[in-house]
Amino acid sequence: MATLHSPVVNKEDNQKISTERLTPQTAYHVPLWKALTGLIMSYVIVGAFFIAHGAIGFAEKGVAARIIFFHVPCAVLSSIAYFVGFFYAARYLLKLKSEKIKPFLDDYRSAAAMELGFLFCLLATITGSIFAGVQWGSFWNWDPRETSIVVMLLLYASYLLLRAANSLKPELRARLSAVYAVVALVPAQFLIWAVPRILATMHPTTTLTDPRMTSLSYKMVLYPAFIAFVLLFIWLMQLRVRMMMLWEQHRHNAQQTMETDYR
Amino acid sequence: MTHRMILMLVMAVPLVVWFGLFFYLLIIDRAMHRLENNQEGNDSI
Amino acid sequence: MSGSLWYQQAVALWRKDLRAELRTRVALGSMGVFALASLMLIALSMLSLKDEVFVDALGHSHLAWDNPAKMALLWVLFCFAAFAGLSHSFVHEESTGTAQNLRLFMSAHAVYAGKLFFNFTVLGAIMLVITPIYMLLTGMQVGGIMVFVPIMVWGGMSLAAVATTVAALASRAHTSGALFGAIGLPMLIVLLVLIMQAAKLCYSAHIDTISIVKDTGGLLSYGILIITLSALSFHFVWED
Amino acid sequence: MKISLIIKQKQVNNHSHFIPWQQVVRTQTGLRLCPLNTLRLQISNLGHRYGGRKLFQGVNLDAAAGTVVAVLGTNGTGKSTFLKIVAGLLTPWQGTVSLSLDGAALTGEKRRHIIGMTAPDMALYQELSGAENLEFFASLRGLNPDTAMLRSSLEKVGLKGRGRDLVSDYSSGMRQRLRLAVAQLGSPRLLLLDEPSSNLDAAGIEIVESVLNQHREAGHIVLIATNAPHEMEWGDVHLQVAQL
């Protein structure tokens, strides 16, 4: 789709298409990795109930806190999504500077990553709140990680707000939101790394960094859970980007029709 | 009802939700695949 | 004729903005009135908290309305005051059409530097007036002056940097006023957390080196990073 | 969209062996000498669009020192946009604009400092006086804005004695004159005038004409976007931006 913004339509092409329409379309096969996503996620759901054994330190001894397998991947993805969004935003700006082209694909990827970041952030907040209600006795405790995830949610929301406010001018919208994604990397970094460390937290901090802290049965479910969620993230992002491109193509076609019709 | 059966029933809820989501995504994927194929050479709908 | 360097242009812009500001007093007036009104509001509403005591998890009891709490509310006040007035610098240029001339005459980073220092000047003036009145009304103490002054100065600088960047982003959109507050606040919350963490150093008796580095380092690096990234990407916002 | 370049007079001779320090420029009044520099504005295949709307496409121009180009076209064909692209305020959708002096391409700050522009939508600061506006823009150009310099440039556009008044108290004609003074600061080698004599009286129009002649004689390039017949007359070269 490198020629997204300059497709030249001429008469010959139109002729060709009308004959091509009669030929059968390429069939849809489920890609392997998408099928794998479905399988691994199903394994995680079954495993959360029948493989993982109870862990020490939970409110009720010997109970496998199953929400962990959904809460932790969501929370991790909500910060990874920002990095993905930042990466594509920065690439968009660099391309704009060096190649003097309008790399809209990177803008779409950045936006899709931010939207999914918002979604996973929301899921992490909800699952976390449920878990906190069971484990700590209150659904909201203003634990530093709880605070930072809410601010992170606000950050994603304001990115999407900035995009919505400029939706009439796609080129300006792409530039402004890319700049915001780059600048807001600073607060996002502080939210992900610094704030939970500066302030005292009730969250266990070494579960992921120190493998000795988790039992084998936990690892056997938790690590596939990460894989499943990352694959799901990639899938959703791919769908969203494709949707944006189709929408852009549709808008472009409508414009072409307008220009030829009202000549 | 044994503990195991209760677990099975509880497990069924996320499993069913996930299957629903999975097939929903597959349907969208397939629809988009079709649209993209339609669009490839067709610039004047 | 060789033209002028970017910092000379930035100083010229700063002087022009200051001259126009002293003539119309839009930013200073709105921020000043806003800050004074909220100052009164805070002082009045916190009267009842004066003798309140809370017990922390370790069993120690503290005054609820202590110096760090007063400092936190002072900074909340500054944040809102900054967001009431500092958007003016860019929105005014865009809405009156003078921005085109600036684009023709100045480089983007000169514009950013000039606007940043102008905003810092205005915010600094407000802070200089409001802080003594606030301390008088609430009885907030300075604590360690060697920590207090740098925190006030650098906190103000970081606040001005966030406000300048967000104002530049918001001024390009149709609904700049509403957008300015909404997209700036998440960035401000993080800044506030860092400032409050650093401000605790003013009032703690035993300060070890590690906590100084940890608490002021966060604030310092936050400001530096925001200014650097904004300066690097500003021309994408400014130019067409 | 079709662009036609109509050359009314003979183009500038860049390779004059006989008078190496001056070049011959032929204008309405006949032959004329101007200082030799090889300031050159080259525009090739320029096109622009707003959103999905095409404004113009395939505009070409090669103007040498001492040329006044009249950019013509009906409303909405993008004359103002064209000037903004030449000024570097807009990135064109396609095509290039290059400006070179003595064979060396001018970019970045160097380019910025040799361009002056007036346009109806380029406003001045209402809360400052005319002289203060001039002083600010002069200091941006790196000039030393002393009283004598401000007075002379105000005098040149017929605003003598009005420099201390706020721009908000100016009439629209006076604002146009002040814009002209701002655009001329530092005697820019490339002057872009978008409807320069709008809101101006007869005396003001004469000022614009004398400004044009000055720049022509100094070997500068001037682009005027216009619809007015008397402004079209000023151009040595006509560049038609027409809508099909």
Side-chain angles (χ1 to χ4, degrees), chain D residues 202-216:
Chain D
I205 293 173
E206 255 172 49
I207 289 170
V208 177
E209 197 173 1
S210 75
V211 165
L212 276 185
N213 287 330
Q214 257 175 39
H215 279 266
R216 197 187 338 236

Side-chain angles (χ1 to χ4, degrees), chain A residues 5 89 92-93 96 101-104 107-108 110-111 159-181 248 251, chain C residues 94 99-100 103 165 167-176 179 183 233-240, chain D residues 48-52 89-91:
Chain A
H5 284 266
Y92 174 83
L93 292 181
L96 201 65
I101 53 158
K102 308 218 156 87
F104 272 95
D107 172 55
Y108 293 154
S110 173
Y159 173 91
L160 298 177
L161 197 67
L162 184 67
R163 277 189 85 79
N166 290 296
S167 54
L168 290 178
K169 297 175 180 168
E171 204 268 324
L172 182 71
R173 175 182 72 181
R175 269 189 296 138
L176 292 189
S177 50
V179 169
Y180 188 70
E248 171 60 36
R251 214 175 55 89
Chain C
E94 290 286 351
Q100 283 285 27
R103 284 190 191 106
T165 307
L169 282 169
S171 70
R172 298 307 301 269
H174 306 289
T175 49
S176 19
L179 204 62
I183 66 176
S233 54
F234 181 69
H235 70 273
F236 292 113
V237 181
W238 179 243
E239 281 158 13
D240 277 308
Chain D
H48 197 69
R49 49 165 51 197
Y50 274 131
L89 292 176
L90 278 178
T91 313

Side-chain angles (χ1 to χ4, degrees), chain D residues 45-84:
Chain D
N45 195 29
L46 199 69
H48 197 69
R49 49 165 51 197
Y50 274 131
R53 176 148 201 87
K54 265 184 211 147
L55 282 177
F56 49 81
Q57 214 169 6
V59 182
N60 292 299
L61 178 73
D62 190 348
T67 320
V68 176
V69 183
V71 182
L72 312 175
T74 48
N75 290 343
T77 46
K79 296 190 299 293
S80 303
T81 309
F82 178 74
L83 285 201
K84 276 181 190 163

Side-chain angles (χ1 to χ4, degrees), chain C residues 94-118:
Chain C
E94 290 286 351
S95 63
T96 55
T98 48
Q100 283 285 27
N101 263 325
L102 288 189
R103 284 190 191 106
L104 190 70
F105 278 78
M106 295 176 78
S107 60
H109 40 272
V111 175
Y112 181 73
K115 290 290 180 192
L116 175 61
F117 281 104
F118 170 70

Side-chain angles (χ1 to χ4, degrees), chain C:
Chain C
M1 187 199 71
S2 62
S4 60
L5 293 163
W6 68 271
Y7 57 85
Q8 290 168 327
Q9 291 189 331
V11 171
L13 180 63
W14 177 79
R15 283 184 49 184
K16 186 277 294 175
D17 272 345
L18 217 57
R19 182 181 264 169
E21 180 56 44
L22 290 177
R23 201 160 285 172
T24 58
R25 291 186 211 92
V26 177
L28 273 175
S30 55
M31 282 169 74
V33 169
F34 194 94
L36 274 176
S38 35
L39 178 63
M40 292 299 157
L41 214 64
I42 288 175
L44 279 176
S45 58
M46 289 302 157
L47 272 179
S48 58
L49 267 182
K50 228 170 147 188
D51 304 316
E52 203 80 11
V53 172
F54 81 95
V55 184
D56 66 11
L58 296 171
H60 304 297
S61 56
H62 302 270
L63 270 181
W65 185 225
D66 59 352
N67 278 322
K70 286 169 186 169
M71 187 75 158
L73 270 178
L74 178 63
W75 275 101
V76 170
L77 196 161
F78 287 149
C79 281
F80 284 114
F83 269 61
L86 292 188
S87 71
H88 181 70
S89 59
F90 274 111
V91 174
H92 186 65
E93 300 269 7
E94 290 286 351
S95 63
T96 55
T98 48
Q100 283 285 27
N101 263 325
L102 288 189
R103 284 190 191 106
L104 190 70
F105 278 78
M106 295 176 78
S107 60
H109 40 272
V111 175
Y112 181 73
K115 290 290 180 192
L116 175 61
F117 281 104
F118 170 70
N119 279 347
F120 180 59
T121 313
V122 173
L123 186 64
I126 294 291
M127 283 168 72
L128 267 180
V129 175
I130 295 297
T131 312
I133 302 176
Y134 183 84
M135 286 163 81
L136 216 69
L137 283 180
T138 61
M140 185 182 87
Q141 286 150 349
V142 171
I145 190 103
M146 293 302 286
V147 187
F148 185 79
V149 173
I151 285 176
M152 292 308 262
V153 172
W154 191 249
M157 188 72 201
S158 308
L159 182 52
V162 170
T164 308
T165 307
V166 174
L169 282 169
S171 70
R172 298 307 301 269
H174 306 289
T175 49
S176 19
L179 204 62
F180 184 59
I183 66 176
L185 276 177
M187 294 171 88
L188 277 190
I189 293 173
V190 179
L191 178 64
L192 266 177
V193 169
L194 293 170
I195 288 177
M196 281 176 223
Q197 197 62 29
K200 276 183 193 157
L201 287 178
C202 299
Y203 308 111
S204 52
H206 317 288
I207 311 172
D208 54 333
T209 325
I210 291 176
S211 67
I212 290 181
V213 171
K214 203 167 137 189
D215 294 341
T216 56
L219 179 59
L220 194 69
S221 55
Y222 188 84
I224 290 174
L225 284 172
I226 288 275
I227 292 173
T228 314
L229 284 179
S230 308
L232 279 177
S233 54
F234 181 69
H235 70 273
F236 292 113
V237 181
W238 179 243
E239 281 158 13
D240 277 308

